Amino acid sequence: PFWLKALRAPGGLRHPNWARDPSVWAAMRVLTNLGAWCAVSSLVRAAAGAKPHVLLVLVDDWGWNNVGYHRPGDAEVATPNVDALVKEGIELDRHYTYHYCSPSRSTLQSGRLSVHVAYGFDDPMLRSKTDPDGGFSGIPRNMTGIAEKMRSAGYRTHMTGKWDAGMASWEHTPMGRGYETFFGYYHHAEDYWTQRLSDSDLKPDVCGNIVDLWNTTGPAYGANGTAYVEEMFTANTLRILDQHNPAEPLFMFHSFHLMHSPLQIPEEWEQKFSFLANPYRRKYAAMTHYMDDALGKIVQKFKDKGMWDNTLMVVSSDNGGPTYNLPVIGYGAASNVPLKGSKMSDWEGGIRVNAFVSGGAVPPEKRGTKLEDYIHMADWYRTFCAIAGVDPTDGRAAKAGL
């Protein structure tokens, strides 16, 4: 059968050229659909009676070897909350994404492979002179976002953190994709303390070093520069949960800036890893620990609200961990051992990522297990639609020929 081509290619799925072959992409589509449905069929059955809350968490640039359940007993990796959640849930051992930020995020929101959404056209400053209406970076305007699907099923929809999936028009924003509220930023990365874009002053059509921090309908005036951005993000998600009525199903998307460069972390957190001589590894380890702590606070809030027992939590990195040192962006400092490659490559170190599901909606017999079936980030769109009980077909995109 043609789909075996993906596995029979020299090096199998670890070979960098497999992702460039259209027939292999088709094969991967088949494999990922089968794997994802095997993985979540029991979750969908469990949700048949009452719609569960869905907590979708995306971690930025998370190295395969920078999590406790992949690297137990190493003081450089302190992720106790993540490790506990994996033990209570399902470890997704072969969860695949695109090899860098924006295309992966566009895939997650649209349910389409990156080559059909934002591949090669993802910088927020890009635009097409031949298509003045829809030719902007990010998800095309006429595609339906997952939050819009969830909202049509009666879910309350909120987002915190990094978007990086389009911003040229209202339709490109999280609100245009179905989120009721959004507190976060639109670009690839920003300064964690000032919320200014590190490279905006290098763009020919941007004036100065701009601030990228927004609160639903406009700039988050007065907030930038007041705190570490992840502190603000955590506080926003906790505030949403405090105000939420548990009787209504919730779709909460928390998208970390951590651990994307620039490598910045409050000093008291970095001091916990003072035994690491390499300053980049030290900062990255501290940022990972901070992410784990923030995740723990969010989970605890779900429990305090009495929502956790009816919550499906999905956690994934957007791509493999970065090991580069690039101008403006700086050091990555992640580790993907034993996988070859890193972010920006098609080796497994760039596309096979840390991922798991947890929460009370996971059937007891599935907890503490490891799923080795193939799953792709695009599969969550259809999965969430099935849980919500809505048709995953994107009729609007079909009418536009997409």
Side-chain angles (χ1 to χ4, degrees), residues 28-52:
M28 191 63 176
R29 184 74 255 167
V30 173
L31 289 170
T32 54
N33 274 334
L34 290 174
W37 279 108
C38 288
V40 301
S41 60
S42 58
L43 299 177
V44 174
R45 288 195 299 272
K51 294 176 182 178

Side-chain angles (χ1 to χ4, degrees), residues 4 37 48 51 56 71 75 92 123-124 160 188 202 233 249 279 316 339 358 401:
L4 285 177
W37 279 108
K51 294 176 182 178
L56 175 60
R71 194 174 170 184
L92 306 179
D123 188 292
T160 299
H188 301 317
L202 303 179
F233 288 166
S316 173
L339 305 182
S358 196

Side-chain angles (χ1 to χ4, degrees), residues 61-392:
D61 288 3
W62 193 5
W64 180 268
N65 199 35
N66 297 111
V67 65
Y69 69 88
H70 281 157
R71 194 174 170 184
D74 192 323
E76 184 173 347
V77 180
T79 56
N81 291 299
V82 166
D83 299 343
L85 289 165
V86 171
K87 289 181 180 179
E88 299 167 0
I90 306 172
E91 178 185 344
L92 306 179
D93 189 52
R94 287 194 173 272
H95 187 281
Y96 289 87
T97 66
Y98 195 68
H99 63 231
Y100 69 96
C101 305
S102 185
S104 276
R105 293 164 186 275
S106 296
T107 284
L108 183 62
Q109 298 297 325
S110 69
R112 298 169 183 247
L113 292 176
S114 302
V115 293
H116 301 304
V117 188
Y119 170 72
F121 199 66
D122 50 80
D123 188 292
M125 294 295 125
L126 291 177
R127 59 189 180 277
S128 172
K129 295 180 180 179
T130 61
D131 184 5
D133 180 52
F136 298 95
S137 65
I139 305 169
R141 290 188 309 120
N142 289 318
M143 286 185 182
T144 303
I146 184 57
E148 190 172 348
K149 288 287 188 180
M150 301 300 281
R151 198 169 178 181
S152 72
Y155 275 79
R156 305 305 301 268
T157 58
H158 302 279
M159 179 188 168
T160 299
K162 176 178 176 177
W163 176 241
D164 199 13
M167 55 174 284
S169 69
W170 181 260
E171 289 94 336
H172 286 92
T173 70
M175 289 66 65
R177 302 298 180 187
Y179 291 98
E180 297 175 59
T181 66
F182 164 64
F183 179 74
Y185 69 102
Y186 286 111
H187 283 248
H188 301 317
E190 63 180 14
D191 188 287
Y192 284 78
W193 294 105
T194 67
Q195 291 77 58
R196 293 181 180 273
L197 302 181
S198 59
D199 64 343
S200 61
D201 57 340
L202 303 179
K203 305 288 185 179
D205 52 354
V206 176
C207 180
N209 198 242
I210 63 175
V211 172
D212 189 6
L213 189 65
W214 304 80
N215 190 358
T216 308
T217 57
Y221 288 117
N224 70 292
T226 62
Y228 189 62
V229 73
E230 291 291 355
E231 179 183 339
M232 290 191 280
F233 288 166
T234 302
N236 185 70
T237 293
L238 296 180
R239 182 167 52 250
I240 289 170
L241 293 173
D242 274 331
Q243 298 172 354
H244 181 73
N245 178 4
E248 296 182 281
L250 172 67
F251 182 72
M252 181 73 230
F253 178 38
H254 188 94
S255 180
F256 283 99
H257 184 1
L258 293 164
M259 282 76 63
H260 197 293
S261 58
L263 299 182
Q264 297 173 332
I265 187 72
E267 184 177 356
E268 62 269 25
W269 286 82
E270 184 174 351
Q271 287 303 312
K272 296 180 181 182
F273 298 88
S274 59
F275 58 88
L276 294 173
N278 184 299
Y280 308 110
R281 285 177 57 183
R282 185 170 63 243
K283 291 178 184 295
Y284 188 94
M287 293 168 78
T288 304
H289 187 40
Y290 191 107
M291 177 277 296
D292 179 85
D293 184 76
L295 196 59
K297 291 177 180 176
I298 294 170
V299 169
Q300 187 59 51
K301 181 62 70 172
F302 268 84
K303 293 178 179 178
D304 293 345
K305 291 280 291 187
M307 297 166 61
W308 184 248
D309 288 343
N310 188 36
T311 293
L312 172 64
M313 179 187 198
V314 177
V315 180
S316 173
S317 179
D318 60 344
N319 44 249
T323 60
Y324 50 58
N325 177 22
L326 298 176
V328 179
I329 294 178
Y331 282 90
S335 171
N336 299 304
V337 174
L339 305 182
K340 181 174 182 177
S342 68
K343 178 183 178 181
M344 305 304 294
S345 81
D346 286 328
W347 297 103
E348 283 210 326
I351 61 174
R352 182 181 174 187
V353 301
N354 298 323
F356 62 90
V357 296
S358 196
V362 177
E365 68 272 15
K366 296 293 183 181
R367 296 174 189 173
T369 63
K370 178 190 290 189
L371 183 77
E372 296 184 352
D373 293 19
Y374 293 102
I375 300 177
H376 193 277
M377 183 169 279
D379 292 308
W380 290 113
Y381 186 101
R382 189 177 186 89
T383 300
F384 293 148
C385 286
I387 291 173
V390 295
D391 184 353

